[in-house]
Amino acid sequence: MSMDTVPAGIYKFFSSVKLAIFLFLALAITSVFGTIIQQGLPIERYEALYGPRVFSVLKFFNIFDMYHSWWFVLLLVLLSVNTIACTIRQIPRVVRSIFPGKDGIDDGVFVSSQIRKTVQCHRSLPCLERKAVSLLKSFGSPRDRIEKDSKVYFFTEKGRWSKAGGVLIHFSILFILGGGLIGAVWGFNGQMSIVEGETADKVVLFNGSGAKKLDFDVRCDNFKVDFYETGQPKEYRTDLTILKNGKEIIFRAIRVNHPMFYDGLKFCQATYGIAAADNFQIAARNIKSGEEAVLTLNMMKKVSLPGSVSSFALARFIPDYRGGGPAVLGVFIKPGSDHEIFWLFKDYRQVKNGFSFMFRDFDRDYYTGLQISRDPGVPAVWIGCILILIGLVLSLFLTHTRVWLRISEAEDGCEVKIAASVGKDKNSLEEKLEKFAGKLR
């Protein structure tokens, strides 16, 4: 292979439709993994879910933050190169179709066109010419009239800008891919947890590459969560204040699917949890004596039980124990006996050693979990979306139709040669031309 053919071979490879199909399929298939495997969880969670062997393979391919992985970015780059090569190949042909110039009319179109007809007319040439010009207006404004060798040629067309639709769609793909690449390289996505009344300025990145410090502080002024009767969260809301150099800049309340935007960042309500808990209220009843008391306890502080020498303490608190809600680990202390340990779930009664216990309530401080992201490629994606809409309108609602007419004198009147080409709906144009030919006779 000569050196001159090497660039041509490379260009042919990158502009091939087969490569485009392969890349689209590869992106579609790999995106399935990004849907099945939840993105952005803590790295320890993935190790616990998949085990050390599978985890090491998934981590090598960065499946946990797939859309920022090196191989996904490489697929986007290859698809961008393929789209650019295909667009470069199309542009000259499209430009010639939209701006054909004044090269005259070639008689070859009456032999090679999609649609060809010959009509014998019993009219004089001037009369037939006037009739033809009038009828051609239904196909578009007649653009050219040429006289050559005692023959009169006419040419008309409409919808030539429909050819630009495909190029615009290609450009839209480039903008969308470019926006994705910009977001993958220069954007980030992470989480920030803030306790009520406190501030934070660091975002823990989902891809495990550390944290990103913001040039302002985010303060959680208030967090509120409403529950269904089943105990499931109904809605949670965070009141945020942005502070810069100690000065309050902006205040917003965010909820799920109602984010806040500031300084190119998007703040979404992602999760919440209990940051601190104390003053646990345990209702204790001595079944034998009937005495009852509401005990207020904190961790590892024992309190005497009503009507008894025994006492009760709490050793541990879990905000959501095995999906059953808040629970405390109670310790029943009886002199001269081993301590008995058992779990108490909120609002559930349990009987132990002649006592009835119920975990009623506790004081809590919530933290709010915010998902914070920056995607500088979003404007490019929006431009791509607008271009693809314009391209689809041009491609779907415009049809490039061209009609050539040649009128020449014959022994008994005139002969009319008709040639036409159309981008789509050929049958409809043939029917229209048949009616056109009938009116010329």
Side-chain angles (χ1 to χ4, degrees):
M1 180 183 290
S2 66
M3 292 302 295
D4 292 337
T5 60
V6 171
I10 295 174
Y11 174 74
K12 184 178 179 182
F13 169 76
F14 280 109
S15 63
S16 68
V17 176
K18 291 181 180 179
L19 177 62
I21 293 172
F22 168 77
L23 291 172
F24 272 117
L25 286 175
L27 286 169
I29 293 170
T30 54
S31 295
V32 172
F33 289 100
T35 303
I36 295 174
I37 300 175
Q38 187 176 350
Q39 304 289 291
L41 294 177
I43 204 73
E44 300 81 9
R45 179 79 178 275
Y46 290 117
E47 192 169 9
L49 284 172
Y50 298 107
R53 291 186 178 179
V54 177
F55 170 78
S56 61
V57 175
L58 296 178
K59 186 180 179 182
F60 175 78
F61 289 102
N62 200 13
I63 299 295
F64 311 132
D65 190 23
M66 192 190 78
Y67 302 110
H68 292 86
S69 62
W70 61 268
W71 55 267
F72 195 83
V73 172
L74 178 62
L75 288 175
L76 292 179
V77 170
L78 288 175
L79 185 58
S80 299
V81 173
N82 174 257
T83 306
I84 291 171
C86 291
T87 305
I88 291 173
R89 190 172 63 181
Q90 281 193 10
I91 285 177
R93 177 176 57 83
V94 172
V95 170
R96 286 194 301 269
S97 297
I98 298 176
F99 307 104
K102 297 287 185 180
D103 296 333
I105 298 176
D106 184 4
D107 278 325
V109 297
F110 298 101
V111 178
S112 60
S113 294
Q114 288 176 300
I115 305 171
R116 302 181 299 275
K117 291 183 181 298
T118 301
V119 182
Q120 300 295 329
C121 303
H122 301 287
R123 297 172 185 264
S124 64
L125 182 59
C127 179
L128 185 59
E129 185 176 336
R130 289 193 298 271
K131 185 70 173 177
V133 170
S134 176
L135 292 173
L136 278 173
K137 290 180 180 178
S138 64
F139 296 96
S141 299
R143 200 185 72 190
D144 295 328
R145 180 190 180 280
I146 299 173
E147 289 190 38
K148 185 173 68 173
D149 300 331
S150 301
K151 299 172 184 176
V152 179
Y153 296 84
F154 291 96
F155 172 68
T156 185
E157 69 174 334
K158 66 178 180 179
R160 56 181 172 170
W161 283 98
S162 65
K163 296 291 185 180
V167 174
L168 286 178
I169 291 173
H170 277 199
F171 274 113
S172 73
I173 294 172
L174 285 175
F175 272 99
I176 292 170
L177 289 174
L181 287 170
I182 291 170
V185 176
W186 289 286
F188 67 85
N189 196 6
Q191 187 162 338
M192 174 186 287
S193 297
I194 317 175
V195 180
E196 283 183 284
E198 297 185 4
T199 61
D201 63 354
K202 289 184 179 179
V203 180
V204 179
L205 302 180
F206 284 146
N207 57 11
S209 58
K212 185 172 184 65
K213 190 177 186 303
L214 305 179
D215 59 357
F216 54 86
D217 293 322
V218 184
R219 185 177 69 203
C220 174
D221 296 315
N222 184 48
F223 178 83
K224 182 180 180 183
V225 57
D226 296 324
F227 297 92
Y228 290 104
E229 293 182 359
T230 58
Q232 294 297 317
K234 181 179 181 181
E235 181 185 68
Y236 37 103
R237 152 186 168 153
T238 303
D239 295 335
L240 293 179
T241 298
I242 302 296
L243 302 146
K244 198 162 189 178
N245 299 324
K247 182 180 178 181
E248 295 185 359
I249 303 298
I250 188 173
F251 170 82
R252 289 286 186 277
I254 66 170
R255 305 188 305 277
V256 176
N257 299 325
H258 292 80
M260 178 183 78
F261 296 89
Y262 175 73
D263 195 28
L265 298 175
K266 182 180 180 181
F267 297 77
C268 297
Q269 181 70 69
T271 185
Y272 74 95
I274 296 174
D278 56 10
N279 297 329
F280 297 91
Q281 298 175 26
I282 309 294
R285 181 175 179 271
N286 189 320
I287 298 175
K288 184 176 180 180
S289 66
E291 293 183 59
E292 186 174 355
V294 177
L295 311 178
T296 300
L297 299 100
N298 288 307
M299 290 295 131
M300 305 309 294
K301 301 292 184 181
K302 66 180 181 179
V303 176
S304 297
L305 291 171
S308 174
V309 296
S310 301
S311 56
F312 185 74
L314 298 180
R316 190 181 176 191
F317 166 72
I318 295 180
D320 187 14
Y321 184 71
R322 296 182 179 178
V328 290
L329 185 62
V331 182
F332 186 89
I333 305 168
K334 185 177 181 180
S337 301
D338 293 337
H339 298 349
E340 184 172 352
I341 300 174
F342 55 92
W343 284 100
L344 282 175
F345 288 88
K346 189 173 180 297
D347 298 325
Y348 285 89
R349 188 177 299 277
Q350 190 165 170
V351 177
K352 289 287 183 179
N353 299 314
F355 284 87
S356 169
F357 297 95
M358 178 182 283
F359 176 19
R360 286 189 175 177
D361 207 351
F362 61 100
D363 295 337
R364 68 207 54 139
D365 291 326
Y366 284 108
Y367 72 85
T368 182
L370 307 176
Q371 183 174 336
I372 302 176
S373 59
R374 182 195 296 277
D375 191 349
V378 169
V381 173
W382 276 111
I383 293 173
C385 291
I386 293 171
L387 288 178
I388 202 169
L389 287 175
I390 296 173
L392 288 172
V393 169
L394 292 177
S395 298
L396 296 176
F397 296 100
L398 294 182
T399 302
H400 190 201
T401 304
R402 294 179 292 176
V403 178
W404 295 267
L405 209 66
R406 186 183 74 189
I407 304 175
S408 59
E409 291 184 326
E411 293 182 0
D412 188 17
C414 295
E415 180 186 75
V416 180
K417 287 278 189 180
I418 303 171
S421 69
V422 65
K424 55 190 174 186
D425 200 6
K426 178 183 174 184
N427 293 334
S428 177
L429 180 60
E430 285 184 323
E431 292 176 4
K432 192 173 181 179
L433 285 173
E434 190 64 42
K435 294 178 182 178
F436 172 82
K439 292 178 180 180
L440 288 177
R441 289 188 178 98

